[in-house]
Amino acid sequence: MVFITKFARVGVQAARQLRAKPIAVSQWRSFHVSCMLDKERRYTDKHEWVELLDANKAIVGISSYAQEALGDVVFAQLPEPGTELKQDDECGALESVKAASEVYSPVTGKVTEKNSQVEDSPALVNTSCYEKGWLFKVDLKNPDEFNKLMTEEQYKSFLSSSADH
């Protein structure tokens, strides 16, 4: 037993020393180029966004503007997988300490996955609305609907055109 305890202490000390050493010049940090490339996101006038995963699959969330307007999100109700949605159908809700807002489907299709992490930890919508705070994934029934939504530039123009959204 004494040997195991001493061995564990040596392991902890070695780990501390390794963390304290500076990174050698020969070591390189790696990153994925795919994370650096922005995928095209389209927006609705109700502040949902859609991003294509492939020709017939998309991911849906709310915009940064919407999450800022809501405030700290404390509850999320998302559509169940298998739910058939039409464009502009109400399909969920987000509640914050100061307001509640319905979630509308920006496209027609069938929900394939909901982000259960958002239901468990709704604050993800505030901290990472475009990455970890997405709401649901959908198989598109009409992929042309995506092209009719606002581009990021059009959405920014929409936001700046009026203070009341």
Side-chain angles (χ1 to χ4, degrees):
M1 187 68 162
V2 173
F3 174 76
I4 293 173
T5 304
K6 286 184 180 182
F7 185 75
R9 285 185 191 150
V10 170
V12 170
Q13 289 172 349
R16 284 186 191 139
Q17 288 175 350
L18 286 174
R19 280 190 294 240
K21 286 185 178 183
I23 297 175
V25 176
S26 63
Q27 292 178 334
W28 293 88
R29 294 180 185 247
S30 64
F31 60 93
H32 296 281
V33 175
S34 62
C35 294
M36 295 175 59
L37 300 175
D38 285 335
K39 293 182 179 176
E40 184 178 15
R41 229 177 253 126
R42 297 290 181 116
Y43 298 85
T44 69
D45 59 351
K46 294 176 184 159
H47 309 289
E48 283 87 14
W49 58 262
V50 184
E51 186 177 288
L52 290 180
L53 298 174
D54 64 35
N56 294 316
K57 294 182 191 279
I59 190 167
V60 175
I62 66 165
S63 70
S64 181
Y65 174 87
Q67 66 84 18
E68 287 173 13
L70 270 174
D72 294 335
V73 178
V74 295
F75 176 76
Q77 177 187 1
L78 304 176
E80 293 296 324
T83 305
E84 292 281 346
L85 300 172
K86 291 183 182 169
Q87 190 174 32
D88 297 325
D89 276 356
E90 184 179 321
C91 60
L94 296 173
E95 294 180 15
S96 71
V97 292
K98 65 180 185 179
S101 177
E102 289 78 22
V103 175
Y104 297 93
S105 179
V107 289
T108 301
K110 184 177 184 177
V111 176
T112 58
E113 180 182 350
K114 68 178 180 176
N115 190 348
S116 56
Q117 288 182 327
V118 166
E119 286 187 324
D120 295 339
S121 192
L124 283 173
V125 172
N126 297 110
T127 58
S128 181
C129 65
Y130 296 114
E131 285 85 31
K132 295 179 183 176
W134 58 271
L135 302 179
F136 60 94
K137 293 181 182 178
V138 63
D139 278 340
L140 301 176
K141 197 168 205 170
N142 184 359
D144 291 335
E145 289 175 342
F146 176 82
N147 296 324
K148 294 177 182 173
L149 298 173
M150 288 184 271
T151 64
E152 189 159 356
E153 293 78 28
Q154 291 169 329
Y155 182 66
K156 286 178 183 177
S157 176
F158 168 75
L159 291 178
S160 64
S161 68
S162 171
D164 184 28
H165 297 288

